[in-house]
Amino acid sequence: MKVDIFTLKKQYDEIKDELKGPIEKVMTSGAFILGEDVGLFEKEFAAYCDVKYGIGVNSGTDALFLACLACGIGKGDEVITPTYTYIATSFGISIAGATPVFVDTEEKTYNIDISKIEKAITKKTKAILLVHLYGHPADMDPVIEIARKYKLKVIEDCAQAHGALYKNKKVGSLGDAACFSFYPTKNLGAFGDGGMITTNSEEVKDRALLLRDYGRKGRYENIIKGYNSRLDTLQAAILRVKLKHLDEWNEKRRKNATLYTKLFKETKMDITLPYEADYAKHIYHQYAVRIKNRKEVMEKLADKGLCPLIHYPIPVHLQECYKELGYKRGDFPVAEKYCEEIMSLPMYPELTTEEIKYVVEAISSV
């Protein structure tokens, strides 16, 4: 049997009839830039996240750097962030002109190690930009407590956590600003790139709206130096349809994760399974496991029609593009260890019981 690590075909087949009308409406309107669906989706997604404002932008990476700028972060500032994450998180800081200051990984959730944050704070620190990795919320209350103590901004990277809950509150509603990606593989994915900044701050909202659209107040009145980073109307129309299904799809992911966990425990093999803290509702963007002989296992799985993904083989502090920051191997041992052990198994709502059983049997047999 061949089991895809991810596929969008089954999802498209499920909703294609719902998509025809909204897509046709945009195509015939000709309003491809900041059309009606953009504003409607911003309001609907903000309501979904239980926040006042949503600002659509053209990618998750742009959401990160524009959120930094909207929060007053720039040249000479430092932002504390995890080293075990996709590199776009730190790029958002760098593009804004600030410097990422990395912190190691918490052992169970794979999110930022909160016990290490205060040691990383300096006079230049302006914010904490944390990630809800793999769909598991970071422990926000102690982060917010630290931020208040040192008068820092808190920015959430929610690119992998659409709909995840922290103490029954939606991620994306907990910091000064939050950033979402609608890259096609996300739990809520577009048919191309797209992103969103969510916030309860009118100041952050107003500045983000200027920054995404050339810094203009009127058609030819530019009051700050801005960017061209607008969520495409066609993508917004597609996302409005898909948003209606998000909770259902997330519950299917949770059901799949429960089955994976049950079957792996029955094998009694030496594998570390995903963890869900008592404060969290994990939405399993990835079902990430840790296994010590990963390379050998993956080579054998390829012969069985399985190709798990590695997230992420190189921690950000060891990436060549950040060598000027002077970090070295051994600085963040937990993250470095996990980069050698974690692999992501097939995970999407349409996975069948038979496919999950095959994955578990294949891994337990190598």
Side-chain angles (χ1 to χ4, degrees), residues 137-142 164-170 174 278-281:
D139 192 359
M140 293 296 297
D141 283 352
L165 299 180
Y166 174 76
K167 296 184 178 180
N168 293 317
K169 295 179 181 178
K170 290 276 179 64
L174 304 164
D278 57 6
Y279 59 74
K281 182 176 182 180

Side-chain angles (χ1 to χ4, degrees), residues 296-310:
E296 177 186 347
V297 168
M298 291 186 68
E299 288 174 352
K300 292 180 178 179
L301 289 177
D303 296 332
K304 298 175 180 288
L306 296 176
C307 296
L309 293 179
I310 298 177

Side-chain angles (χ1 to χ4, degrees), residues 29-103:
S29 75
F32 299 120
I33 306 299
L34 295 181
E36 180 184 21
D37 282 294
V38 175
L40 291 171
F41 178 61
E42 288 172 335
K43 291 178 181 177
E44 291 163 1
F45 192 72
Y48 178 82
C49 294
D50 297 322
V51 297
K52 293 179 181 178
Y53 309 113
I55 303 94
V57 296
N58 73 0
S59 70
T61 304
D62 275 19
L64 287 161
F65 94 82
L66 292 175
C68 285
L69 291 175
C71 286
I73 297 162
K75 187 175 181 180
D77 294 330
E78 294 179 350
V79 178
I80 293 170
T81 197
T83 185
Y84 185 69
T85 181
Y86 185 54
I87 202 162
T89 306
S90 57
F91 277 178
I93 297 166
S94 299
I95 296 168
T99 300
V101 175
F102 298 114
V103 170

Side-chain angles (χ1 to χ4, degrees), residues 68-359:
C68 285
L69 291 175
C71 286
I73 297 162
K75 187 175 181 180
D77 294 330
E78 294 179 350
V79 178
I80 293 170
T81 197
T83 185
Y84 185 69
T85 181
Y86 185 54
I87 202 162
T89 306
S90 57
F91 277 178
I93 297 166
S94 299
I95 296 168
T99 300
V101 175
F102 298 114
V103 170
D104 209 350
T105 303
E106 196 275 326
E107 293 191 1
K108 291 184 176 180
T109 67
Y110 309 143
N111 286 315
I112 192 168
D113 187 339
I114 294 162
S115 69
K116 303 291 199 312
I117 289 176
E118 281 198 85
K119 294 179 182 177
I121 294 173
T122 72
K123 292 180 180 180
K124 295 181 180 180
T125 306
K126 194 69 171 286
I128 302 167
L129 199 170
L130 49 78
V131 184
H132 304 300
L133 197 68
Y134 298 147
H136 190 291
D139 192 359
M140 293 296 297
D141 283 352
V143 173
I144 291 170
E145 184 178 341
I146 293 168
R148 286 174 178 167
K149 179 180 177 181
Y150 293 94
K151 298 181 180 179
L152 307 176
K153 299 290 187 182
V154 175
I155 302 174
E156 302 172 71
D157 182 342
C158 306
Q160 301 181 11
H162 312 68
L165 299 180
Y166 174 76
K167 296 184 178 180
N168 293 317
K169 295 179 181 178
K170 290 276 179 64
V171 301
S173 68
L174 304 164
D176 295 283
C179 308
F180 290 85
S181 167
F182 302 122
Y183 188 78
T185 61
K186 305 302 185 186
N187 289 41
L188 180 62
F191 285 7
D193 271 319
M196 181 80 75
I197 300 168
T198 58
T199 184
N200 282 311
S201 167
E202 186 173 4
E203 181 182 356
V204 170
K205 180 262 295 183
D206 288 344
R207 187 161 178 82
L209 285 172
L210 286 171
L211 286 164
R212 77 161 182 193
D213 191 27
Y214 295 106
R216 60 184 176 181
K217 186 177 180 181
R219 184 171 180 83
Y220 294 112
E221 182 184 1
N222 304 76
I223 58 176
I224 64 171
K225 296 181 179 70
Y227 303 84
N228 179 8
S229 180
R230 302 167 298 211
L231 179 63
D232 182 80
T233 306
L234 186 60
Q235 301 302 341
I238 291 164
L239 288 164
R240 291 186 67 206
V241 172
K242 297 181 79 172
L243 180 60
K244 298 172 185 176
H245 296 271
L246 178 57
D247 286 340
E248 175 192 353
W249 290 337
N250 281 346
E251 288 305 316
K252 287 181 178 180
R253 286 174 179 267
R254 286 177 58 81
K255 183 179 179 182
N256 290 340
T258 298
L259 180 57
Y260 263 132
T261 298
K262 175 180 179 292
L263 295 174
F264 272 121
K265 286 183 176 178
E266 289 174 357
T267 69
K268 301 187 186 303
M269 67 180 296
D270 185 15
I271 188 170
T272 302
L273 304 175
Y275 172 79
E276 184 176 59
D278 57 6
Y279 59 74
K281 182 176 182 180
H282 198 326
I283 48 84
Y284 294 97
H285 174 62
Q286 301 293 342
Y287 189 87
V289 302
R290 290 203 335 264
I291 192 163
K292 293 181 180 178
N293 56 333
R294 183 180 68 187
K295 182 178 179 181
E296 177 186 347
V297 168
M298 291 186 68
E299 288 174 352
K300 292 180 178 179
L301 289 177
D303 296 332
K304 298 175 180 288
L306 296 176
C307 296
L309 293 179
I310 298 177
H311 298 99
Y312 300 95
I314 305 172
V316 183
H317 71 281
L318 295 181
Q319 292 281 0
E320 185 175 354
C321 61
Y322 280 117
K323 63 183 179 181
E324 78 278 2
L325 297 181
Y327 292 103
K328 62 184 184 305
R329 186 168 296 279
D331 284 344
F332 305 112
V334 177
E336 291 170 24
K337 176 185 177 185
Y338 288 177
C339 284
E340 296 176 355
E341 294 181 353
I342 289 179
M343 65 180 184
S344 298
L345 306 185
M347 174 53 76
Y348 42 92
E350 300 81 14
L351 266 179
T352 66
T353 297
E354 291 71 25
E355 287 171 328
I356 293 171
K357 286 181 176 178
Y358 179 76
V359 173

